[in-house]
Amino acid sequence: MEIQNNILHGPPITEVPNISLGQHLFNCLHSNADQIMQVDIQTGKHYTCKDILEKSTILSVALRNYGIKVEDRISVAAENHPHYVVSICSTLFIGATFAPLNPAYTEREFTHMLEIYQPRVLFVSRRTENILAKIASTVSWNMKLIELDDEPLDGNIITLDKVLEKYQSVTDPYASSTVQIDNNRKRMAAILCSSGTTGLPKGVMLSHRNLLLFIQNLSAPGTMDIRRGDRILVFLPLFHGYAFGMMNTAISCGAVIYIMRNFELETLLSSVEKYRITHIPLVPPVLVGLAKHPMVPNCDFSSVREIVSGAAPLSPDVANEVKQRTKLRAIRNGYGMTELSILSNMSDRTSNDNSIGPILPGFKCKVVNVETGETLVARKIGEVCFTGDQVMLGYFKNPRTTAETIDKENWLHTGDLGYFDEEGSLYITGRIKEVIKYKGFQVSPSEIEAVILSHPSVKDVAVVGKPDKLSGEIPMALVVRQPEKTISAKEIADFANENLSPQKWLRGGVKFVEHIPKTTTGKIIRRELINITTKL
C-alpha cells in the first residue's frame, strides 16, 4: 500500500490469463473431479466436482443447440437451489452472459428487468414458475423456460433433469465444451443487479477478467484465505454478487459450498458444528442475531477461520459482542459494491475499529470534496472514488447512468462518504447516495415513491430510511394525501407492499405530512426529510 499525492495505490495485481471465466471454472472442476463441491443442507445430498462438471457440460450442449451465442443472456430466478451452480457453469462454459434475478421480485419488477436483459433462456423454480410463465407469454422475443425442480407446475415446461436426459447420449462430459473469447477485458461474463441511486434496478456488466481478478483477490491469504477442502456456508442469495462471487471462488479454490435454501439462524448454528465450517460470509443483520441468540454461546465455532461481514456497515460493538460469544479472534469487515466487482477492501485480522482496511491489489482510491471534486488529504471526509482493474464495464444498455457514475478520467464515484488514515486504511462514514440499506439490499426510494404515487389518493410522497438495529434501515413513507381523500396509512402500506418485493416493503410505516420539501426544479430535498422525520 502506497499513498502518492493523496491517492491510495493498492499492490500490483498478478495478471490472469486471457481466458474466459467459463474456461477457468471448467479447468478447476476437471482437476478436482473426485472432490465434493457442494452440499445441500436441506437434503444432505453431496455433489462432487465431477457431478457438477458432467451436468454443466451436457447443459451447455443443450444451450448451444438452442442457438445461444457469446454474450447472449441467460437468467435464473430461483432461491438457492442445488442446481443453481449448474446454470452458472453451463452459461459461462459457452461464453454467454449470466444474468440472475431476485426470486422475490414482483411481476412489475420481473417485467422491467427481463425487458432489459431479454434472456434467451430463463431457469425458474416452482416458487417463480407461475409468475414468469405468465410474463414469458407476453414478451417480444423467444425465451425458453427451464424448471430447476424435479416437477414443474405446468406440464408444458421442461425440467432441467429432462434436458440433461435428452442430451446425455450425445455429450462427452469430459470433453471441454468451453468457448474461447477474444478479449476477457471487454467481454461480459455476468450482469448483476444494482439499485444505484435512483429508479428501478440496473444491470452491472462485469467482464471475465473483472471476475477472475475478484476470485484471485478474495481467495488470497490476506483476504479470505480460501484453500482446497475449506468448507464455506452460503445462505446469502446466489443472485447477489456477494454469494455469486463466493460460489465461483469456491470452485476455483477446490473448496466446498454448504448451501442453505432459506436462512434460519438455528440451521446456520447447527450446520457450523455438523459440517465443521471454516468460512462464513455474513451481513450485519445476521451478526446482530449472533450477538443476541441464546444458542450462540453453546455452539462450537472452533472450526471457523473467517467470518466476513459485507453489503452494509457493521457496528464495532456488534462485532465485539459476537467475537466474545463465539470465542473467535476476528470478524473481518469487507467493503465493495457490484460496480467494483463485489469487493475492494477488507479489514485486517487485528482491527478493532470500524476500518474497512486497505484497498486490494489492482485498485486506486481517492477521497474528493463533494462540491469541488478536489482530492482530499488524510482524515478529511469526502466522496470515496475508485479506479482500477475490477471496475465494471458499465451499466447494461444504460450509457447515461454509466457516464454519471464513471467520470472521464475513469474514476468510479461510489456515492459513499469516508476518509483514509495515514496508513492507508479506509473508513466509511455515510452516504451521498439516496439508497436505503435494508439487510444488505440496496433499496431505491424513488422506485417505492413511483409505486405509491400511482395510487389515486396520493398527491405526493417521499421515502426515507428509518434507522433500525436489526435491519440497518427500513423504508418509511412520508405521504401527502390528495385533497378530500381519507386513505389510511395501512391502505397505502398494503398497496405499496403488494407491488414491491419484500426488501422494499414499508416496514417503517407511513406518516402523513402537509408537504414534501423540494427544489425549484422539483427534486426532493432529502437532507430536509431527516428534520421532518425526527419531529414525527
Side-chain angles (χ1 to χ4, degrees):
M1 165 64 66
E2 292 183 7
I3 305 175
Q4 299 176 8
N5 298 321
N6 298 314
I7 295 176
L8 310 182
H9 293 251
I13 61 167
T14 300
E15 191 52 80
V16 295
N18 184 32
I19 61 172
S20 71
L21 177 58
Q23 181 68 64
H24 174 74
L25 296 177
F26 183 96
N27 294 344
C28 294
L29 289 168
H30 191 272
S31 62
N32 294 314
D34 295 330
Q35 184 172 326
I36 294 172
M37 186 264 139
Q38 179 178 260
V39 176
D40 179 8
I41 286 176
Q42 180 171 310
T43 63
K45 187 173 181 180
H46 293 60
Y47 301 81
T48 65
C49 288
K50 179 181 177 181
D51 295 331
I52 302 299
L53 181 61
E54 287 184 355
K55 290 180 180 180
S56 300
T57 302
I58 295 168
L59 181 56
S60 70
V61 172
L63 295 174
R64 280 177 166 175
N65 190 64
Y66 296 151
I68 306 299
K69 298 180 177 61
V70 171
E71 290 195 344
D72 279 350
R73 275 78 60 203
I74 294 177
S75 293
V76 57
E79 65 279 11
N80 284 6
H81 196 284
H83 285 153
Y84 208 116
V85 65
V86 176
S87 71
I88 293 173
C89 291
S90 59
T91 298
L92 294 171
F93 283 2
I94 61 172
T97 300
F98 188 70
L101 297 166
N102 184 344
Y105 276 165
T106 63
E107 182 177 344
R108 167 181 164 273
E109 293 164 325
F110 273 129
T111 300
H112 170 78
M113 293 311 299
L114 288 172
E115 283 291 341
I116 295 175
Y117 292 167
Q118 298 195 356
R120 298 284 307 283
V121 172
L122 174 58
F123 293 95
V124 300
S125 67
R126 288 169 67 93
R127 172 181 174 181
T128 59
E129 181 188 318
N130 282 338
I131 188 172
L132 288 167
K134 177 183 176 183
I135 296 170
S137 66
T138 68
V139 300
S140 60
W141 68 96
N142 184 26
M143 181 173 70
K144 183 177 184 64
L145 266 58
I146 298 177
E147 171 64 68
L148 293 178
D149 283 313
D150 295 339
E151 293 290 336
L153 298 172
D154 182 341
N156 293 319
I157 296 177
I158 193 169
T159 65
L160 176 61
D161 285 342
K162 291 294 184 184
V163 174
L164 297 176
E165 182 181 321
K166 178 179 178 180
Y167 285 89
Q168 186 169 14
S169 61
V170 298
T171 305
D172 179 354
Y174 301 104
S176 175
S177 60
T178 57
V179 169
Q180 300 302 312
I181 57 172
D182 48 4
N183 187 342
N184 70 0
R185 292 172 178 263
K186 296 182 178 180
R187 287 288 188 184
M188 287 188 297
I191 308 175
L192 304 177
C193 285
S194 176
S195 292
T197 59
T198 59
L200 286 155
K202 299 165 182 65
V204 175
M205 297 185 291
L206 299 180
S207 72
H208 294 267
R209 184 170 179 268
N210 282 156
L211 288 165
L212 288 169
L213 288 171
F214 160 79
I215 290 168
Q216 179 174 274
N217 275 335
L218 182 71
S219 58
T223 316
M224 283 195 74
D225 189 23
I226 298 174
R227 311 166 193 167
R228 180 184 173 92
D230 279 346
R231 299 169 297 282
I232 306 169
L233 185 62
V234 172
F235 65 86
L236 301 165
L238 287 166
F239 68 84
H240 194 286
Y242 195 174
F244 172 74
M246 290 302 308
M247 179 67 80
N248 284 296
T249 304
I251 295 172
S252 179
C253 297
V256 188
I257 289 286
Y258 290 80
I259 192 169
M260 289 176 62
R261 301 195 191 196
N262 299 290
F263 174 71
E264 292 177 349
L265 188 56
E266 292 80 3
T267 303
L268 182 150
L269 295 172
S270 61
S271 298
V272 168
E273 290 190 332
K274 180 178 180 180
Y275 298 112
R276 304 297 293 163
I277 297 298
T278 60
H279 294 70
I280 315 176
L282 297 177
V283 289
V286 176
L287 282 157
V288 172
L290 292 177
K292 298 178 181 294
H293 198 286
M295 282 178 59
V296 172
N298 298 319
C299 181
D300 181 7
F301 280 82
S302 61
S303 62
V304 178
R305 293 207 318 273
E306 298 280 7
I307 285 185
V308 174
S309 176
L314 172 65
S315 161
D317 291 340
V318 171
N320 290 332
E321 179 68 20
V322 174
K323 282 190 286 186
Q324 182 178 339
R325 302 184 93 215
T326 59
K327 300 179 176 61
L328 292 172
R329 290 182 296 173
I331 293 176
R332 315 285 295 285
N333 204 356
Y335 173 82
M337 54 195 305
T338 313
E339 289 85 345
L340 295 173
S341 302
I342 307 163
L343 185 72
S344 62
N345 295 67
M346 181 79 77
S347 66
D348 64 42
R349 295 180 177 90
T350 61
S351 177
N352 285 313
D353 59 13
N354 59 350
S355 163
I356 56 170
I359 57 175
L360 298 180
F363 279 109
K364 294 179 184 178
C365 175
K366 65 179 179 179
V367 176
V368 302
N369 183 292
V370 175
E371 301 296 331
T372 67
E374 174 194 1
T375 300
L376 299 175
V377 300
R379 300 194 179 275
K380 293 291 185 181
I381 293 175
E383 183 179 16
V384 179
C385 303
F386 288 89
T387 191
D389 299 275
Q390 281 184 215
V391 172
M392 67 172 177
L393 294 173
Y395 294 111
F396 187 59
K397 295 182 181 178
N398 200 336
R400 179 179 176 180
T401 306
T402 300
E404 292 170 352
T405 305
I406 302 175
D407 65 27
K408 294 179 180 178
E409 296 179 344
N410 290 321
W411 286 95
L412 185 143
H413 293 249
T414 66
D416 287 328
L417 294 171
Y419 67 93
F420 62 91
D421 64 20
E422 291 77 6
E423 286 72 44
S425 286
L426 196 62
Y427 296 77
I428 301 299
T429 60
R431 294 194 309 281
I432 304 169
K433 282 187 174 185
E434 298 169 355
V435 292
I436 297 165
K437 279 288 188 84
Y438 170 76
K439 290 189 174 181
F441 288 97
Q442 291 193 86
V443 176
S444 168
S446 60
E447 181 185 357
I448 305 174
E449 289 160 1
V451 170
I452 297 172
L453 275 172
S454 69
H455 195 288
S457 296
V458 174
K459 180 180 179 181
D460 204 356
V461 62
V463 172
V464 297
K466 181 179 179 181
D468 181 81
K469 287 185 178 180
L470 182 62
S471 303
E473 292 178 315
I474 50 178
M476 179 176 76
L478 307 178
V479 173
V480 180
R481 292 188 184 97
Q482 288 284 11
E484 300 179 1
K485 296 292 184 179
T486 58
I487 188 169
S488 69
K490 184 179 184 304
E491 288 173 310
I492 291 174
D494 289 346
F495 174 79
N497 295 350
E498 286 170 5
N499 288 281
L500 295 163
S501 44
Q503 70 268 24
K504 302 167 189 174
W505 287 355
L506 294 174
R507 289 181 167 83
V510 173
K511 303 293 183 182
F512 292 106
V513 295
E514 295 297 321
H515 75 284
I516 303 296
K518 294 186 176 181
T519 66
T520 54
T521 58
K523 187 175 182 180
I524 295 173
I525 306 173
R526 296 195 179 271
R527 63 180 178 274
E528 293 189 16
L529 298 179
I530 298 172
N531 296 328
I532 295 174
T533 56
T534 56
K535 296 175 183 177
L536 294 174

